Amino acid sequence: LADAFFIAASSIAFLHPREWPLSERLATFSRAEPLDFLLMYPESWRLQVDPDSGEGALSLNLLNIVEDYVVGTILIVAAPSEHAPAELVRDRIWGELSTQGYTGELPSFAPVTPTAAFAPRFELVAPVLRHNVPHELRMSVATVAATTLLVALVGPARATDGGPWAINKRAYRLVL
């Protein structure tokens, strides 16, 4: 039986082979201002760049859409640090989310283990509600080259819908 399984497994050939270690291809977005960066995100997510980000700032959204329903949003804001301290950017993002029906209490940022690209880094995780449905909000903030960079994720809480929660969290970690 082991020999038969080995032969079967070793003779599998894919119709469209590709050299890629992830289950989904990645799309890219790059920008030189206000911070020189390259963003890699899952190809199935929709990118929206805010044309009214302000001078020297960048604001964009990544939307995870399933059957015409947004099941996750990653918000990215980059702005000069002198004009955008972390708490101000956090409050701006929360203000935008509040207009979309999100409610809850935001904790303060807490230090987390820095990544190679972002050191030091601070994060908050908070349960929030949208139309009485439990959601989760995650925010990471770092200062890189005199620029405040904030990445936020909002989507269904794990207990509400574990599938989208896991996909959203993976995309969030990929962005970081």
Side-chain angles (χ1 to χ4, degrees):
L1 182 63
D3 289 337
F5 178 75
F6 175 75
I7 290 170
S10 63
S11 63
I12 291 175
F14 294 100
L15 291 176
H16 304 289
R18 59 183 182 183
E19 294 293 323
W20 194 246
L22 303 174
S23 63
E24 181 176 354
R25 291 192 183 275
L26 298 178
T28 60
F29 174 82
S30 63
R31 188 56 67 94
E33 296 292 330
L35 177 69
D36 187 15
F37 74 95
L38 170 66
L39 171 67
M40 300 179 78
Y41 60 95
E43 199 173 60
S44 64
W45 288 54
R46 186 181 314 154
L47 176 69
Q48 295 177 332
V49 179
D50 182 358
D52 300 322
S53 298
E55 189 174 332
L58 172 68
S59 178
L60 53 94
N61 296 330
L62 288 169
L63 305 174
N64 182 7
I65 301 173
V66 176
E67 297 178 8
D68 298 326
Y69 180 72
V70 177
V71 295
T73 303
I74 295 177
L75 303 98
I76 301 170
V77 176
S81 296
E82 73 246 16
H83 303 312
E87 284 71 22
L88 181 66
V89 176
R90 178 199 65 194
D91 293 346
R92 178 178 165 218
I93 293 291
W94 182 241
E96 287 180 28
L97 292 173
S98 296
T99 64
Q100 297 173 27
Y102 289 96
T103 60
E105 298 284 326
L106 289 188
S108 297
F109 284 110
V112 294
T113 304
T115 61
F118 306 116
R121 188 166 68 91
F122 299 88
E123 187 171 73
L124 66 81
V125 179
V128 295
L129 293 174
R130 183 172 191 209
H131 308 300
N132 294 319
V133 176
H135 282 66
E136 181 178 88
L137 173 64
R138 293 176 173 269
M139 285 190 191
S140 288
V141 67
T143 301
V144 181
T147 301
T148 298
L149 178 66
L150 183 133
V151 179
L153 163 68
V154 64
R158 185 177 192 173
T160 303
D161 200 342
W165 175 85
I167 291 167
N168 291 340
K169 188 174 177 190
R170 176 68 182 127
Y172 175 73
R173 291 290 176 218
L174 184 65
V175 168
L176 293 177

